[in-house]
Amino acid sequence: MRSVTLLQSMAVDFAGQRVPSVISENMLPRGTRCVEMHSSATDLSNYYRLHPTEQQLVEHAVDRRKADFGDSRWCAHQAMRAFVDDQPIMRGERGMPVFPDGVTGSLTHTDGFRAALVGRSSRWRSLGIDAEPAGFLPEGVFNTVARPEEQRRLRRLARAHNLDYLDKVLFSAKESTYKAWFPLTRRFLDFDQADIDIRPDGTFTSYLLLRPVPVPFIEGRWAIRHGFVVTVAGVRRH
């Protein structure tokens, strides 16, 4: 794949051609870079372009897993080069990507979409990104992931602003919150351990309910664009 000039937000298809971004630049935490790849292909080209130590992390996986892994890490390497020399991105506990010194970041992949969000670790303690196909959660899942107060707020929000798929927005916000939480604590965060306030202006706040916590809440942004629900979150250094 040919190289492309990196902007704060960049989206390409598998051939390297520019396409409209799902995650707009006004969603991004200040000073971060986001790279997206839009493709439904199960192609291992990007996997085989990885450093051998990265390939080994999923060498026994099925081809679809290798393709998702290679494509999302391609995005991460493209974003990371804005800050540091390119180096392998390893894997830590619970699959957390371990970035080289000087940067922190997060990866996501779903059908037709892969992306990575990267920033300087001197500014950001952790980052989280998640993407899901736009649509409603399967029956019964909403009651599993949403606290009663979250359910009530989302129903009011949907009625007041005629918004669809807020259940999926909440699910995605919990995923990006977890990705921003885990590097700080190395502790699991269950769905009911964060109370997330989704707001109609495209922002959300995740209030952490377990103790002790490194921060009382995590802030983020959400959007529904081009057939995807996307959320980003970050914890700044003070």
Side-chain angles (χ1 to χ4, degrees):
M1 184 182 296
R2 66 182 180 86
S3 61
V4 292
T5 302
L6 182 66
L7 302 174
Q8 184 177 9
S9 178
M10 183 183 77
V12 298
D13 62 18
F14 197 79
Q17 301 298 312
R18 293 289 180 84
V19 295
S21 295
V22 171
I23 300 173
S24 61
E25 291 197 356
N26 63 10
M27 283 187 67
L28 299 179
R30 185 179 298 274
T32 63
R33 299 290 184 270
C34 181
V35 174
E36 306 172 13
M37 176 181 290
H38 298 198
S39 173
S40 296
T42 301
D43 189 298
L44 301 183
S45 299
N46 285 323
Y47 169 74
Y48 287 118
R49 291 189 180 99
L50 294 174
H51 190 277
T53 59
E54 291 178 277
Q55 293 183 33
Q56 290 172 6
L57 298 175
V58 292
E59 62 181 343
H60 299 300
V62 299
D63 283 355
R64 179 54 187 266
R65 168 62 177 145
K66 289 179 179 178
D68 288 343
F69 184 90
D71 291 349
S72 58
R73 267 173 165 70
W74 180 88
C75 294
H77 284 287
Q78 296 300 311
M80 186 173 70
R81 288 174 183 147
F83 306 107
V84 297
D85 292 337
D86 194 30
Q87 302 170 56
I89 301 168
M90 303 309 292
R91 184 172 61 188
E93 300 172 61
R94 294 184 176 269
M96 178 186 74
V98 178
F99 284 83
D101 290 345
V103 291
T104 187
S106 181
L107 289 70
T108 189
H109 59 80
T110 190
D111 290 342
F113 183 86
R114 299 92 155 108
L117 177 67
V118 178
R120 293 190 187 280
S121 54
S122 59
R123 172 175 282 187
W124 293 99
R125 296 176 64 186
S126 64
L127 295 166
I129 185 172
D130 184 73
E132 308 287 341
F136 296 106
L137 290 173
E139 185 176 356
V141 175
F142 183 55
N143 289 337
T144 300
V145 303
R147 297 169 58 85
E149 52 269 41
E150 291 173 323
Q151 296 182 31
R152 290 191 291 270
R153 288 198 300 266
L154 287 188
R155 292 187 182 108
R156 289 196 296 267
L157 185 62
R159 289 195 299 268
H161 297 275
N162 195 30
L163 295 171
D164 287 328
Y165 311 140
L166 289 179
D167 58 341
K168 187 69 72 69
V169 172
L170 179 70
F171 177 86
S172 181
K174 296 215 173 196
E175 290 292 311
S176 59
T177 294
Y178 175 76
K179 291 179 181 180
W181 156 269
F182 189 77
L184 303 179
T185 64
R186 302 298 198 273
R187 292 158 54 200
F188 182 70
L189 184 72
D190 212 342
F191 287 116
D192 65 353
Q193 292 177 319
D195 186 337
I196 300 184
D197 183 16
I198 305 290
R199 293 184 286 271
D201 64 355
T203 64
F204 67 86
T205 300
S206 301
Y207 297 97
L208 303 170
L209 305 179
L210 70 174
R211 295 294 183 269
V213 292
V215 292
F217 55 83
I218 294 173
E219 294 184 308
R221 292 183 175 272
W222 66 273
I224 304 173
R225 287 166 52 90
H226 306 310
F228 295 97
V229 170
V230 289
T231 57
V232 298
V235 179
R236 288 186 63 94
R237 291 196 185 277
H238 297 292

